[in-house]
Amino acid sequence: MVHRKTMLPYLLLLLLAHAGWVTTADLENYSLVKNIFILAGQSNISGRGGVINHSLRPGFVNESWDGVIPSECESNPSILRLSGGLKWVEAHEPLHKDIDVNNTCGIGPGMPFANTVLKKDPSIGVIGLVPCAVGGTSITEWAPGGFLYKNMIKRTKAATRGGGKIRALLWFQGESDAKTLEDAKMYKVRLERFFKNVRHDLELPNLTVIQVGIATALGPYMELVREAQREINIGNLKYVDAKGLQIGPDYTHLTTAAQIQLGQMLADAFLRPN
């Protein structure tokens, strides 16, 4: 017997399809997605692997992505992404192309994360990635009521329409908060508040959060931010450290090889028992 609560999201989608608001393909994809992962933060989770700045003038940017997709980042029919238009489509790099629209996106950790999870746990089912990250953003810009926060919550709730389960928030942010001493000192309080608000607004008090410790910074207070990240005191929080991974020539962003390694580290953290 099918449980009523399991059927309700699917019945809603049937009504939307009948009304012409979603297509049959959308309906099939929503029902396929079993495991939902939120990707949020700033540029290093949005992905800058393979992004090249062709400008020879200091302070000027003329970027393009090299288009190189390693095998660890290749598409897989069992990995979908929620597009900017709130439709499930087969995931491919760059994951954040229609989300982080004012920046040049490249390889991030999302695809190697999903591919590694599927490789190590083939029975997990279809994975749905919900990209929400935007480059250069500070933790205050992710506060409730702001565009980034509201958009993340809206996209995540849309992703669950077919009954999929939100498995984890993958969070990589903090480089922008190393610019001033005040922001670095306030980072722990602001980040804990952010995680608690996400859990409250998604009605998931035990939502798994996998936080990445920053490896670079846009200011002189990186170690203060890193210390704050390590001291976050909430339950069901896992910590993955990006320090030591390869950094690109801009001294800010992880290379493609580093993003692959980070994605695999995130997958191992997710699969590791609490």
Side-chain angles (χ1 to χ4, degrees):
M1 183 174 70
V2 179
H3 198 282
R4 176 186 283 182
K5 286 187 177 180
T6 304
M7 287 297 296
L8 283 176
Y10 191 71
L11 290 173
L12 174 60
L13 283 171
L14 284 173
L15 292 172
L16 292 173
H18 181 72
W21 294 344
V22 297
T23 67
T24 303
D26 296 332
L27 185 62
E28 291 173 351
N29 285 341
Y30 269 105
S31 64
L32 281 173
V33 175
K34 305 300 180 187
N35 307 276
I36 296 167
F37 295 91
I38 311 162
L39 285 72
Q42 51 186 114
S43 56
N44 270 318
I45 196 165
S46 170
R48 299 294 185 267
V51 173
I52 302 166
N53 184 9
H54 302 280
S55 176
L56 299 178
R57 300 173 64 187
F60 285 80
V61 176
N62 177 24
E63 293 179 330
S64 67
W65 175 48
D66 63 15
V68 176
I69 302 177
S71 60
E72 297 89 344
C73 305
E74 288 179 349
S75 298
N76 183 318
S78 293
I79 305 174
L80 303 181
R81 67 180 288 273
L82 194 70
S83 72
L86 303 181
K87 296 181 183 294
W88 284 118
V89 296
E90 186 168 322
H92 61 82
E93 299 285 10
L95 275 182
H96 279 78
K97 185 176 182 179
D98 61 349
I99 303 298
D100 193 3
V101 294
N102 293 320
N103 295 290
T104 302
C105 297
I107 300 293
M111 288 302 291
F113 163 79
N115 276 311
T116 302
V117 170
L118 283 172
K119 182 179 179 180
K120 294 191 173 185
D121 185 7
S123 66
I124 194 170
V126 175
I127 289 175
L129 302 175
V130 183
C132 301
V134 175
T137 52
S138 67
I139 190 62
T140 54
E141 292 177 273
W142 286 91
F147 171 79
L148 294 175
Y149 185 88
K150 290 192 292 186
N151 190 52
M152 177 184 65
I153 298 298
K154 179 186 76 172
R155 288 176 54 73
T156 304
K157 288 184 175 180
T160 64
R161 287 174 186 161
K165 180 181 179 181
I166 303 171
R167 302 299 301 274
L169 164 65
L170 310 183
W171 175 258
F172 190 174
Q173 189 276 334
E175 295 95 338
S176 290
D177 291 273
K179 291 179 181 179
T180 71
L181 180 59
E182 179 185 0
D183 284 339
K185 285 183 174 180
M186 288 295 296
Y187 191 74
K188 180 177 182 290
V189 172
R190 290 168 176 168
L191 186 58
E192 283 186 350
R193 186 184 302 133
F194 168 79
F195 289 149
K196 290 174 182 177
N197 285 326
V198 172
R199 287 174 168 176
H200 176 269
D201 290 340
L202 293 179
E203 299 180 41
L204 295 170
N206 297 310
L207 174 66
T208 297
V209 175
I210 309 178
Q211 179 191 197
V212 182
I214 60 173
T216 61
L218 301 179
Y221 300 105
M222 181 176 78
E223 291 306 321
L224 278 180
V225 173
R226 283 177 50 80
E227 181 181 354
Q229 291 177 318
R230 292 191 298 268
E231 292 180 353
I232 297 296
N233 185 27
I234 61 171
N236 209 18
L237 172 71
K238 301 182 179 185
Y239 180 80
V240 169
D241 199 346
K243 195 168 186 179
L245 298 181
Q246 187 180 49
I247 307 300
D250 63 359
Y251 302 104
T252 303
H253 296 114
L254 301 182
T255 64
T256 294
Q259 290 285 14
I260 292 170
Q261 190 174 349
L262 177 59
Q264 294 167 342
M265 292 162 63
L266 288 166
D268 289 342
F270 169 70
L271 295 170
R272 185 173 61 246
N274 291 329

